[in-house]
Amino acid sequence: SNAAERVLASHDPGSGIEALTATLVGLVGEEDDLSDELIVSAAMEGEMTFVVHALAARSGIRADVALDELLSGSERRAMATLRTAGVSRTVAASLLAGVGDLIGIPDPGRAIDAFDRLTDAEVGDARAWLTADPAYRRAVAALGRTNGKRSV
């Protein structure tokens, strides 16, 4: 209908919550104020969009990918995302205690065990995988491999 077309034509993606939050996180990051404490405080206030964008900014992972990893329900994937962002064990524990159940992680103890078991090499592999081009990741998934390596 004509009304729907007008509404769609007037939509400004740059004024949406995602874009505004990304801008805010960028500005805070420019001032080197994207601290662990700020991320935990934002999580406790329910500002998960801010948390995701902050983790993404700190890790180099796209925000939508970081969100998918945090909401995957997998302790290992969620903890790898936190580790790629340089989050300390104490901060990870605070986040899990406050919002773990909201992101699909009902057992913070198991998740912290996963956090502790991740090696630096595994965190590096996670960062490489999560920052890879989405088309590449889809192609690897279509091939049925999860490590992105050829079977030479």
Side-chain angles (χ1 to χ4, degrees), residues 72-80 104-107 110-111 114-115 118:
S72 69
S74 163
E75 289 106 355
R76 184 173 173 81
R77 288 172 59 188
M79 295 304 97
I105 300 179
D107 186 346
R110 271 188 27 187
F115 184 96
L118 285 167

Side-chain angles (χ1 to χ4, degrees), residues 129 136-145:
W129 176 250
Y136 173 76
R137 293 186 332 134
R138 284 190 301 274
V140 170
L143 291 172
R145 292 190 173 74

Side-chain angles (χ1 to χ4, degrees), residues 59-108:
S59 64
I61 297 170
R62 291 187 3 234
D64 62 321
V65 174
L67 179 63
D68 288 347
E69 293 301 298
L70 285 178
L71 297 179
S72 69
S74 163
E75 289 106 355
R76 184 173 173 81
R77 288 172 59 188
M79 295 304 97
T81 303
L82 295 180
R83 290 278 308 269
T84 62
V87 169
S88 71
R89 184 183 196 278
T90 302
V91 170
S94 295
L95 289 170
L96 290 166
V99 297
D101 57 334
L102 297 175
I103 62 171
I105 300 179
D107 186 346

Side-chain angles (χ1 to χ4, degrees), residues 2-146:
N2 194 17
E5 289 174 12
R6 283 195 316 265
V7 169
L8 290 174
S10 69
H11 176 68
D12 176 13
S15 66
I17 191 74
E18 289 287 327
L20 293 173
T21 302
T23 300
L24 175 61
V25 167
L27 293 170
V28 172
E30 286 175 8
E31 299 296 322
D32 290 327
D33 287 336
L34 208 51
S35 66
D36 288 345
E37 294 78 18
L38 181 59
I39 293 171
V40 171
S41 295
M44 296 310 136
E45 291 296 323
E47 298 294 338
M48 291 308 293
T49 303
F50 183 90
V51 171
V52 166
H53 278 275
L55 294 173
R58 287 176 52 168
S59 64
I61 297 170
R62 291 187 3 234
D64 62 321
V65 174
L67 179 63
D68 288 347
E69 293 301 298
L70 285 178
L71 297 179
S72 69
S74 163
E75 289 106 355
R76 184 173 173 81
R77 288 172 59 188
M79 295 304 97
T81 303
L82 295 180
R83 290 278 308 269
T84 62
V87 169
S88 71
R89 184 183 196 278
T90 302
V91 170
S94 295
L95 289 170
L96 290 166
V99 297
D101 57 334
L102 297 175
I103 62 171
I105 300 179
D107 186 346
R110 271 188 27 187
I112 285 297
D113 286 344
F115 184 96
D116 291 339
R117 283 192 308 275
L118 285 167
T119 66
D120 289 342
E122 290 171 323
V123 172
D125 288 347
R127 177 178 285 109
W129 176 250
L130 296 173
T131 57
D133 186 286
Y136 173 76
R137 293 186 332 134
R138 284 190 301 274
V140 170
L143 291 172
R145 292 190 173 74
T146 57

